Amino acid sequence: MPTSHVLAVVSAAEPCGHSTTPCGNSLMQATLWLMGFAPAAGTPAMPALCRFVRHHGVGGLLRADRVKTLAAADAAAVLAERRHIALRGLVLGGALKRVLAELTARGLQPLALKGPALAVQAHGDLGARGGVDLDLYLGTAHWPEALDVLQGLGYRRAPEQPWPLPAATHELVLTHPQQPRIELHRRLLRHQHLLRTPAPITEVVDLQGTEVTCLAPACALPYLIAHANQHCFRRLIWLVDIYALLQQADLDVQQLAAEIQRTGTCAMLDTCLTLLTRLFGLQVPAPLQQVRRPCRASRQMVDVALQAIRESLSDDQVAMRQGLFARVRTDIALQDTLPARWQALLDWLSPTAKDSQWLALPRPLAFLYPLVRVSRLLLR
């Protein structure tokens, strides 16, 4: 049977609301098929599929040969999503080139996280990955000079961002009236104990003639896994980035396994590998199979992630579905060591920038922000 016939529109009897699991399954399966994974399946109504693709940021990874098998109007709608991601990738790439040119001229060498650098590194195509901002990592010793450069380019600290940053906040948001915003990171992740030492292994990618320093795959993968875990693996683009890096022929899997163990992300790896196997049919390399740490928390995270993917949930919606205590308990259990679990608990209780936005306290009362933090968590 021709593929165009196999991809028949789902029956009108099947509801297409965001909270409906059957429709979520069909949206996910259709998207995976268009990306080159999963067997052919019925496609939901096109507006719903386009919204799903847009939410998960995978428009740039849809295969043209499969899109062309759709009905003409449906193919045009999906290709529009693909073009949107490609254009967004070009905009972000151009912005990153301009910013890096000014920073490197001052002797600064930030790490580019995710975004355009990852699009080239993982997918070999700047148009494969869009986004809304640029993530740059730079040690705080270099922040005064970096901020001077960025302010000279027209960037300003987001008005809601407190200064100085609370200890639990790992990034400073800078906005520009015409350019993509920048998130300047002083550490890689929210959790202060993860991926901090030693200095990360880096590599240079060519971004249309500009050399961009980013994390080498053996370091990038633990970071991407921990970052996705921080957001309950709720978006397909994060998973397919990891899958793509794992497919690289020159990846040193033994070195990667050692980094997973060193960084304490073995349980998070188990969640990730389970999802990659179910969604993309990943054949897990033996060294990773040996260091993954299956546990009840990793299995629970798989269930949370699949529901979040199917239903295109936001971070807040995932948090509401889980409940505060289940979220904190799962996150702590996914840390590999007792000291890491204790630190994760402290991080959950440490005030962030959002706490000071929620309730502005005068400086003499700033010591009360831990209570504000607990209050906000309880309200969530």
Coordinates of all heavy atoms in Angstrom, one line a residue, residues 137-225:
Y137 N 28.5 29.9 28.3 CA 29.1 29.6 29.6 C 30.4 30.4 29.7 O 31.3 30.3 28.8 CB 29.3 28.1 29.8 CG 30.2 27.8 31.0 CD1 29.7 27.8 32.3 CD2 31.5 27.5 30.8 CE1 30.5 27.5 33.4 CE2 32.3 27.2 31.9 CZ 31.8 27.2 33.2 OH 32.6 26.9 34.3
L138 N 30.6 31.1 30.8 CA 31.9 31.9 31.0 C 32.1 32.0 32.5 O 31.1 32.3 33.3 CB 31.8 33.3 30.4 CG 33.0 34.1 30.3 CD1 34.0 33.4 29.4 CD2 32.7 35.5 29.9
G139 N 33.3 31.7 33.0 CA 33.6 31.8 34.4 C 33.4 33.2 34.9 O 33.6 34.2 34.2
T140 N 32.9 33.3 36.2 CA 32.5 34.6 36.7 C 33.6 35.6 36.8 O 33.3 36.8 36.8 CB 31.8 34.4 38.1 OG1 32.7 33.6 38.9 CG2 30.5 33.7 38.0
A141 N 34.8 35.2 36.8 CA 36.0 36.1 36.8 C 36.0 37.0 35.6 O 36.5 38.1 35.6 CB 37.3 35.3 37.0
H142 N 35.4 36.4 34.5 CA 35.4 37.2 33.2 C 34.1 37.9 33.0 O 34.0 38.6 31.9 CB 35.7 36.2 32.1 CG 37.0 35.5 32.2 ND1 38.2 36.1 32.1 CD2 37.2 34.1 32.4 CE1 39.2 35.1 32.3 NE2 38.6 34.0 32.5
W143 N 33.2 37.8 33.9 CA 31.9 38.5 33.7 C 31.9 40.0 33.5 O 31.3 40.5 32.7 CB 30.9 38.1 34.8 CG 30.2 36.8 34.5 CD1 30.7 35.7 33.9 CD2 28.9 36.4 34.8 NE1 29.8 34.7 33.8 CE2 28.6 35.1 34.4 CE3 27.8 37.1 35.5 CZ2 27.4 34.4 34.5 CZ3 26.6 36.4 35.6 CH2 26.4 35.1 35.2
P144 N 32.7 40.7 34.4 CA 32.7 42.2 34.2 C 33.1 42.6 32.8 O 32.4 43.5 32.2 CB 33.7 42.6 35.2 CG 33.7 41.6 36.3 CD 33.5 40.3 35.5
E145 N 34.1 42.0 32.2 CA 34.5 42.4 30.9 C 33.5 41.9 29.9 O 33.2 42.6 28.9 CB 35.9 41.8 30.6 CG 36.5 42.4 29.3 CD 38.0 42.0 29.2 OE1 38.5 41.2 30.0 OE2 38.6 42.6 28.3
A146 N 32.9 40.7 30.0 CA 31.9 40.2 29.1 C 30.7 41.1 29.1 O 30.1 41.4 28.1 CB 31.6 38.8 29.5
L147 N 30.3 41.5 30.3 CA 29.1 42.3 30.4 C 29.3 43.7 29.8 O 28.4 44.3 29.1 CB 28.6 42.5 31.9 CG 28.1 41.2 32.5 CD1 27.8 41.4 34.0 CD2 26.8 40.8 31.8
D148 N 30.5 44.2 29.9 CA 30.9 45.4 29.2 C 30.8 45.3 27.7 O 30.2 46.2 27.0 CB 32.3 45.8 29.6 CG 32.7 47.2 29.0 OD1 32.0 48.2 29.3 OD2 33.7 47.2 28.3
V149 N 31.3 44.2 27.2 CA 31.2 44.0 25.7 C 29.7 43.8 25.3 O 29.3 44.5 24.3 CB 31.9 42.7 25.3 CG1 31.6 42.3 23.9 CG2 33.4 42.9 25.6
L150 N 28.9 43.1 26.0 CA 27.5 42.8 25.7 C 26.7 44.1 25.8 O 25.8 44.3 25.0 CB 26.9 41.7 26.5 CG 27.6 40.3 26.3 CD1 27.1 39.3 27.3 CD2 27.3 39.8 24.8
Q151 N 27.0 44.9 26.8 CA 26.2 46.1 26.9 C 26.6 47.1 25.8 O 25.7 47.8 25.3 CB 26.6 46.8 28.3 CG 25.9 46.1 29.4 CD 26.5 46.5 30.8 OE1 27.3 47.4 30.9 NE2 26.0 45.9 31.8
G152 N 27.8 47.0 25.3 CA 28.2 47.8 24.1 C 27.5 47.4 22.9 O 27.3 48.2 21.9
L153 N 27.1 46.1 22.8 CA 26.3 45.6 21.7 C 24.8 45.9 21.8 O 24.0 45.5 21.0 CB 26.5 44.1 21.5 CG 27.9 43.7 21.1 CD1 28.1 42.1 21.2 CD2 28.2 44.1 19.7
G154 N 24.4 46.5 22.9 CA 23.0 46.8 23.1 C 22.2 45.9 24.0 O 21.0 46.0 24.2
Y155 N 22.9 44.9 24.7 CA 22.2 44.0 25.6 C 22.1 44.6 27.0 O 23.0 45.4 27.4 CB 23.0 42.7 25.7 CG 22.8 41.8 24.5 CD1 23.7 41.8 23.4 CD2 21.7 40.9 24.5 CE1 23.5 41.0 22.3 CE2 21.5 40.1 23.4 CZ 22.4 40.1 22.3 OH 22.2 39.3 21.2
R156 N 21.0 44.4 27.6 CA 20.8 44.9 29.0 C 20.2 43.7 29.8 O 19.6 42.8 29.3 CB 19.7 46.0 28.9 CG 20.2 47.2 28.2 CD 21.3 48.0 28.9 NE 21.7 49.1 28.1 CZ 22.7 49.2 27.2 NH1 23.4 48.1 26.9 NH2 23.1 50.3 26.7
R157 N 20.5 43.8 31.1 CA 20.0 42.8 32.0 C 18.5 42.9 32.0 O 17.9 44.0 32.1 CB 20.6 43.1 33.4 CG 20.3 41.9 34.4 CD 21.1 42.1 35.7 NE 20.5 43.2 36.5 CZ 21.1 44.3 36.8 NH1 22.3 44.6 36.3 NH2 20.5 45.3 37.5
A158 N 17.9 41.7 32.0 CA 16.4 41.7 32.0 C 15.9 42.4 33.2 O 16.4 42.1 34.3 CB 15.9 40.2 31.9
P159 N 14.9 43.2 33.1 CA 14.5 44.0 34.3 C 14.0 43.2 35.5 O 14.2 43.7 36.6 CB 13.3 44.8 33.7 CG 12.9 44.2 32.5 CD 14.1 43.5 31.9
E160 N 13.5 42.0 35.3 CA 13.1 41.2 36.4 C 14.2 40.4 37.0 O 14.1 39.7 38.0 CB 12.0 40.2 36.0 CG 12.5 39.1 35.0 CD 12.6 39.5 33.6 OE1 12.4 40.7 33.3 OE2 12.8 38.6 32.7
Q161 N 15.4 40.5 36.5 CA 16.6 39.7 37.0 C 17.2 40.5 38.1 O 17.7 41.6 38.0 CB 17.6 39.5 35.8 CG 18.7 38.6 36.2 CD 18.5 37.2 35.6 OE1 18.2 37.0 34.5 NE2 18.6 36.2 36.5
P162 N 17.3 39.9 39.3 CA 18.0 40.5 40.4 C 19.5 40.6 40.3 O 20.0 39.7 39.6 CB 17.6 39.7 41.6 CG 17.3 38.3 41.1 CD 16.8 38.6 39.7
W163 N 20.1 41.6 40.9 CA 21.5 41.7 40.8 C 22.1 42.2 42.1 O 21.5 43.1 42.7 CB 21.9 42.6 39.7 CG 23.4 42.6 39.4 CD1 24.3 43.6 39.8 CD2 24.2 41.7 38.7 NE1 25.6 43.3 39.4 CE2 25.5 42.1 38.7 CE3 23.8 40.5 38.0 CZ2 26.5 41.4 38.1 CZ3 24.8 39.8 37.4 CH2 26.2 40.2 37.5
P164 N 23.1 41.5 42.7 CA 23.7 40.3 42.2 C 22.8 39.1 42.2 O 21.8 39.0 42.9 CB 24.9 40.1 43.2 CG 24.5 40.8 44.4 CD 23.6 41.9 44.0
L165 N 23.2 38.1 41.4 CA 22.4 36.9 41.3 C 22.4 36.1 42.6 O 23.4 36.0 43.3 CB 23.0 36.0 40.2 CG 22.9 36.4 38.8 CD1 23.5 35.4 37.8 CD2 21.5 36.7 38.4
P166 N 21.2 35.5 43.0 CA 21.2 34.6 44.1 C 22.1 33.4 43.8 O 22.3 33.0 42.7 CB 19.7 34.2 44.2 CG 19.0 35.3 43.5 CD 19.9 35.8 42.4
A167 N 22.6 32.8 44.9 CA 23.6 31.7 44.7 C 23.0 30.5 43.9 O 23.7 29.8 43.2 CB 24.0 31.2 46.1
A168 N 21.7 30.3 44.1 CA 21.1 29.2 43.4 C 20.8 29.4 41.9 O 20.4 28.5 41.2 CB 19.8 28.8 44.1
T169 N 20.9 30.7 41.5 CA 20.6 31.0 40.1 C 21.9 30.9 39.3 O 22.9 31.5 39.6 CB 20.1 32.5 39.9 OG1 18.9 32.6 40.7 CG2 19.8 32.8 38.5
H170 N 21.9 30.1 38.2 CA 23.1 29.8 37.5 C 23.2 30.6 36.2 O 24.2 30.4 35.5 CB 23.2 28.3 37.2 CG 22.1 27.8 36.2 ND1 20.8 27.7 36.5 CD2 22.2 27.4 34.9 CE1 20.1 27.3 35.5 NE2 20.9 27.0 34.5
E171 N 22.3 31.5 35.9 CA 22.4 32.2 34.6 C 21.8 33.6 34.7 O 21.0 33.8 35.6 CB 21.6 31.4 33.5 CG 20.1 31.3 33.9 CD 19.4 30.3 33.0 OE1 20.0 29.5 32.3 OE2 18.1 30.3 33.1
L172 N 22.4 34.5 33.9 CA 22.0 35.8 33.8 C 21.3 36.0 32.5 O 21.9 35.8 31.5 CB 23.1 36.8 34.0 CG 22.8 38.3 33.9 CD1 21.9 38.8 35.0 CD2 24.1 39.1 33.8
V173 N 20.1 36.6 32.5 CA 19.4 36.8 31.2 C 19.6 38.2 30.7 O 19.4 39.2 31.5 CB 17.9 36.5 31.4 CG1 17.1 36.8 30.1 CG2 17.6 35.1 31.9
L174 N 20.0 38.3 29.5 CA 20.3 39.6 28.9 C 19.4 39.7 27.6 O 19.3 38.8 26.8 CB 21.8 39.7 28.5 CG 22.8 39.6 29.6 CD1 24.2 39.4 29.1 CD2 22.8 40.8 30.5
T175 N 18.8 40.9 27.5 CA 17.8 41.1 26.4 C 18.3 42.2 25.5 O 19.1 43.1 25.9 CB 16.4 41.4 26.9 OG1 16.5 42.6 27.7 CG2 15.9 40.3 27.7
H176 N 17.8 42.2 24.2 CA 18.2 43.1 23.2 C 16.9 43.5 22.4 O 16.1 42.6 22.2 CB 19.3 42.6 22.3 CG 19.9 43.5 21.4 ND1 19.3 44.1 20.3 CD2 21.2 44.1 21.4 CE1 20.1 44.9 19.7 NE2 21.2 44.9 20.3
P177 N 16.7 44.7 22.0 CA 15.5 45.1 21.3 C 15.3 44.4 20.0 O 14.2 44.2 19.5 CB 15.5 46.6 21.2 CG 17.0 47.0 21.4 CD 17.5 45.9 22.3
Q178 N 16.4 44.1 19.3 CA 16.3 43.4 18.0 C 17.0 42.1 17.9 O 16.7 41.4 16.9 CB 17.0 44.3 16.9 CG 16.2 45.5 16.5 CD 16.5 46.8 17.4 OE1 17.6 47.0 17.8 NE2 15.5 47.5 17.7
Q179 N 17.8 41.7 18.8 CA 18.5 40.4 18.7 C 18.0 39.4 19.7 O 17.3 39.7 20.7 CB 20.0 40.7 19.0 CG 20.7 41.6 18.0 CD 20.7 41.0 16.7 OE1 20.9 39.8 16.5 NE2 20.5 41.9 15.6
P180 N 18.3 38.1 19.5 CA 17.9 37.0 20.4 C 18.5 37.3 21.8 O 19.6 37.8 21.9 CB 18.5 35.8 19.8 CG 18.7 36.1 18.4 CD 19.0 37.5 18.3
R181 N 17.8 36.9 22.8 CA 18.3 37.1 24.2 C 19.5 36.2 24.4 O 19.7 35.2 23.7 CB 17.2 36.9 25.2 CG 16.9 35.5 25.5 CD 15.8 35.3 26.5 NE 15.6 33.9 26.8 CZ 14.6 33.5 27.7 NH1 13.8 34.4 28.2 NH2 14.5 32.2 27.9
I182 N 20.3 36.5 25.4 CA 21.5 35.7 25.8 C 21.3 35.3 27.2 O 20.9 36.1 28.1 CB 22.8 36.5 25.6 CG1 23.1 36.8 24.1 CG2 23.9 35.8 26.3 CD1 24.3 37.6 23.9
E183 N 21.6 34.0 27.5 CA 21.6 33.5 28.9 C 23.1 33.2 29.2 O 23.7 32.3 28.6 CB 20.8 32.3 29.0 CG 19.3 32.6 28.9 CD 18.4 31.4 29.2 OE1 19.0 30.3 29.5 OE2 17.2 31.5 29.2
L184 N 23.7 34.1 30.0 CA 25.1 33.9 30.4 C 25.2 33.0 31.6 O 24.7 33.4 32.7 CB 25.7 35.3 30.7 CG 27.2 35.4 30.9 CD1 28.0 34.9 29.7 CD2 27.6 36.8 31.3
H185 N 25.8 31.9 31.5 CA 25.9 30.9 32.5 C 27.2 31.0 33.3 O 28.2 31.1 32.7 CB 25.8 29.5 31.9 CG 24.5 29.2 31.3 ND1 23.6 28.2 31.8 CD2 23.9 29.7 30.1 CE1 22.5 28.2 31.0 NE2 22.7 29.0 30.0
R186 N 27.0 30.9 34.6 CA 28.2 30.8 35.4 C 28.5 29.4 35.9 O 29.6 29.1 36.4 CB 28.1 31.7 36.7 CG 27.0 31.4 37.6 CD 27.0 32.4 38.8 NE 25.8 32.2 39.7 CZ 25.6 33.0 40.7 NH1 26.4 34.1 40.9 NH2 24.6 32.8 41.5
R187 N 27.6 28.5 35.7 CA 27.8 27.0 35.8 C 26.9 26.4 34.8 O 25.9 27.0 34.3 CB 27.6 26.5 37.2 CG 26.3 26.8 37.9 CD 26.2 26.2 39.3 NE 24.9 26.4 39.9 CZ 24.5 27.4 40.6 NH1 25.4 28.4 40.8 NH2 23.3 27.5 41.1
L188 N 27.1 25.1 34.6 CA 26.4 24.5 33.5 C 24.9 24.2 33.9 O 24.0 24.3 33.0 CB 27.1 23.2 33.1 CG 28.4 23.3 32.4 CD1 29.0 22.0 32.2 CD2 28.3 24.1 31.1
L189 N 24.7 23.9 35.1 CA 23.3 23.4 35.5 C 22.8 24.1 36.8 O 23.6 24.7 37.5 CB 23.4 21.9 35.8 CG 23.7 21.0 34.5 CD1 24.1 19.6 35.0 CD2 22.5 20.9 33.6
R190 N 21.5 24.0 37.0 CA 20.9 24.5 38.2 C 21.6 23.9 39.5 O 21.9 24.6 40.4 CB 19.4 24.3 38.2 CG 18.7 24.8 39.4 CD 17.3 24.3 39.5 NE 17.2 22.9 39.7 CZ 16.2 22.1 39.5 NH1 15.1 22.6 38.9 NH2 16.2 20.8 39.7
H191 N 21.7 22.6 39.5 CA 22.3 21.9 40.6 C 23.8 22.3 40.7 O 24.5 22.1 39.7 CB 22.2 20.4 40.5 CG 20.8 19.9 40.9 ND1 20.1 20.4 42.0 CD2 20.0 18.9 40.4 CE1 19.0 19.7 42.1 NE2 18.9 18.8 41.2
Q192 N 24.2 22.8 41.8 CA 25.5 23.3 41.9 C 26.6 22.2 42.0 O 27.8 22.5 41.7 CB 25.6 24.2 43.2 CG 24.6 25.3 43.1 CD 24.7 26.2 44.4 OE1 25.8 26.6 44.8 NE2 23.6 26.6 45.0
H193 N 26.3 21.0 42.3 CA 27.3 19.9 42.4 C 27.5 19.2 41.1 O 28.5 18.4 41.1 CB 26.8 19.0 43.5 CG 25.6 18.2 43.1 ND1 24.3 18.8 43.2 CD2 25.3 16.9 42.7 CE1 23.4 18.0 42.8 NE2 24.0 16.8 42.5
L194 N 26.7 19.4 40.1 CA 26.9 18.6 38.9 C 27.8 19.2 37.9 O 27.6 20.4 37.6 CB 25.5 18.3 38.3 CG 24.6 17.3 39.0 CD1 23.2 17.3 38.4 CD2 25.2 15.9 39.0
L195 N 28.6 18.5 37.3 CA 29.5 18.9 36.1 C 30.3 20.1 36.4 O 30.4 21.0 35.5 CB 28.6 19.1 34.9 CG 28.1 17.8 34.1 CD1 27.1 17.0 34.9 CD2 27.6 18.2 32.8
R196 N 30.8 20.2 37.6 CA 31.6 21.5 37.9 C 33.1 21.3 37.7 O 33.8 22.2 37.3 CB 31.3 21.9 39.3 CG 29.8 22.3 39.5 CD 29.7 23.1 40.8 NE 30.3 24.4 40.7 CZ 30.3 25.3 41.7 NH1 29.6 25.0 42.8 NH2 30.9 26.5 41.6
T197 N 33.6 20.1 38.1 CA 35.1 19.9 38.0 C 35.4 18.5 37.4 O 34.5 17.6 37.6 CB 35.7 20.0 39.4 OG1 35.1 19.0 40.2 CG2 35.6 21.4 40.0
P198 N 36.5 18.3 36.8 CA 37.5 19.3 36.4 C 37.0 20.2 35.2 O 35.8 20.1 34.8 CB 38.7 18.5 36.1 CG 38.1 17.2 35.5 CD 36.9 17.0 36.3
A199 N 37.9 21.0 34.6 CA 37.6 21.8 33.5 C 37.0 20.9 32.3 O 37.6 19.8 32.1 CB 38.8 22.6 33.0
P200 N 35.9 21.3 31.7 CA 35.3 20.4 30.7 C 36.2 20.3 29.4 O 37.0 21.1 29.1 CB 34.0 21.1 30.3 CG 34.3 22.6 30.7 CD 35.2 22.5 31.9
I201 N 36.1 19.1 28.8 CA 36.8 18.9 27.5 C 36.0 19.6 26.4 O 34.8 19.4 26.3 CB 36.9 17.4 27.2 CG1 37.5 16.6 28.4 CG2 37.7 17.1 25.9 CD1 37.4 15.1 28.3
T202 N 36.7 20.4 25.6 CA 36.0 21.1 24.6 C 36.5 20.8 23.2 O 37.5 20.1 23.0 CB 36.2 22.7 24.8 OG1 37.6 22.9 24.7 CG2 35.8 23.1 26.2
E203 N 35.7 21.2 22.2 CA 36.1 21.1 20.8 C 35.6 22.3 20.1 O 34.8 23.1 20.6 CB 35.6 19.8 20.1 CG 34.1 19.8 19.9 CD 33.7 18.5 19.2 OE1 34.4 17.5 19.2 OE2 32.6 18.5 18.6
V204 N 36.2 22.5 18.9 CA 35.8 23.7 18.1 C 35.0 23.2 16.9 O 35.4 22.3 16.2 CB 37.1 24.5 17.6 CG1 36.7 25.6 16.7 CG2 37.8 25.0 18.8
V205 N 33.9 23.9 16.6 CA 33.1 23.6 15.4 C 33.1 24.8 14.5 O 33.3 26.0 15.0 CB 31.6 23.2 15.8 CG1 31.6 22.0 16.6 CG2 30.9 24.4 16.5
D206 N 32.9 24.6 13.2 CA 32.9 25.7 12.3 C 31.5 26.2 12.0 O 30.7 25.4 11.4 CB 33.6 25.2 11.0 CG 33.6 26.3 9.9 OD1 33.3 27.5 10.2 OD2 33.9 25.9 8.7
L207 N 31.2 27.4 12.5 CA 29.9 27.9 12.3 C 30.0 29.0 11.1 O 30.2 30.1 11.4 CB 29.4 28.6 13.6 CG 28.0 29.1 13.5 CD1 26.9 28.0 13.3 CD2 27.7 29.9 14.8
Q208 N 29.9 28.5 9.9 CA 29.9 29.3 8.7 C 31.1 30.3 8.8 O 31.0 31.5 8.6 CB 28.6 30.1 8.6 CG 27.4 29.2 8.4 CD 26.1 30.0 8.2 OE1 25.9 31.1 8.7 NE2 25.1 29.4 7.5
G209 N 32.3 29.7 9.0 CA 33.5 30.5 9.0 C 33.9 31.0 10.3 O 35.0 31.6 10.4
T210 N 33.1 30.8 11.3 CA 33.5 31.3 12.7 C 33.8 30.1 13.6 O 33.0 29.1 13.6 CB 32.4 32.1 13.3 OG1 32.2 33.3 12.6 CG2 32.7 32.5 14.8
E211 N 34.9 30.1 14.2 CA 35.3 29.0 15.1 C 34.5 29.2 16.5 O 34.7 30.2 17.1 CB 36.8 28.9 15.4 CG 37.6 28.5 14.2 CD 39.0 28.2 14.5 OE1 39.5 28.7 15.6 OE2 39.7 27.6 13.7
V212 N 33.7 28.2 16.8 CA 32.9 28.2 18.0 C 33.4 27.1 19.0 O 33.4 25.9 18.6 CB 31.4 28.1 17.7 CG1 30.6 28.1 19.0 CG2 31.0 29.2 16.8
T213 N 33.8 27.5 20.2 CA 34.2 26.5 21.2 C 32.9 26.0 21.9 O 32.1 26.7 22.4 CB 35.1 27.1 22.2 OG1 36.3 27.6 21.5 CG2 35.6 26.0 23.2
C214 N 32.8 24.6 22.0 CA 31.7 24.0 22.7 C 32.2 22.8 23.4 O 33.4 22.4 23.3 CB 30.6 23.7 21.7 SG 31.1 22.5 20.4
L215 N 31.3 22.1 24.2 CA 31.7 20.9 24.9 C 31.9 19.8 23.9 O 31.1 19.6 22.9 CB 30.6 20.5 25.8 CG 30.3 21.5 27.0 CD1 29.1 21.1 27.8 CD2 31.5 21.5 28.0
A216 N 33.0 19.0 24.0 CA 33.2 17.8 23.2 C 32.1 16.8 23.6 O 31.6 16.8 24.7 CB 34.6 17.3 23.5
P217 N 31.8 15.9 22.7 CA 30.7 15.0 22.9 C 30.7 14.2 24.2 O 29.7 14.0 24.9 CB 30.7 14.0 21.7 CG 31.3 14.9 20.6 CD 32.3 15.8 21.3
A218 N 31.9 13.8 24.7 CA 32.1 13.0 25.9 C 31.6 13.9 27.1 O 31.2 13.3 28.1 CB 33.5 12.5 26.1
C219 N 31.8 15.2 27.0 CA 31.3 16.1 28.1 C 29.9 16.7 27.8 O 29.1 16.9 28.7 CB 32.3 17.3 28.3 SG 33.7 16.8 29.2
A220 N 29.6 16.9 26.5 CA 28.3 17.4 26.1 C 27.2 16.5 26.5 O 26.1 16.9 26.9 CB 28.3 17.7 24.6
L221 N 27.4 15.2 26.3 CA 26.4 14.2 26.6 C 25.9 14.2 28.0 O 24.7 14.2 28.3 CB 26.7 12.8 26.0 CG 26.6 12.7 24.5 CD1 27.3 11.5 23.9 CD2 25.1 12.6 24.1
P222 N 26.9 14.1 29.0 CA 26.4 14.1 30.4 C 25.7 15.4 30.7 O 24.7 15.5 31.4 CB 27.7 14.0 31.2 CG 28.6 13.3 30.3 CD 28.3 13.7 28.9
Y223 N 26.1 16.5 30.1 CA 25.5 17.8 30.3 C 24.1 17.8 29.7 O 23.1 18.2 30.4 CB 26.3 19.0 29.7 CG 25.5 20.2 29.4 CD1 25.0 21.0 30.5 CD2 25.2 20.7 28.2 CE1 24.3 22.1 30.3 CE2 24.5 21.8 28.0 CZ 24.0 22.6 29.0 OH 23.3 23.7 28.8
L224 N 23.9 17.3 28.5 CA 22.6 17.3 27.8 C 21.6 16.4 28.5 O 20.5 16.7 28.6 CB 22.8 16.9 26.4 CG 23.5 17.9 25.5 CD1 23.8 17.3 24.1 CD2 22.7 19.2 25.4
I225 N 22.2 15.3 29.0 CA 21.3 14.3 29.8 C 20.8 15.0 31.1 O 19.7 14.9 31.4 CB 22.1 13.0 30.0 CG1 22.3 12.2 28.7 CG2 21.3 12.1 31.1 CD1 23.3 11.1 28.8

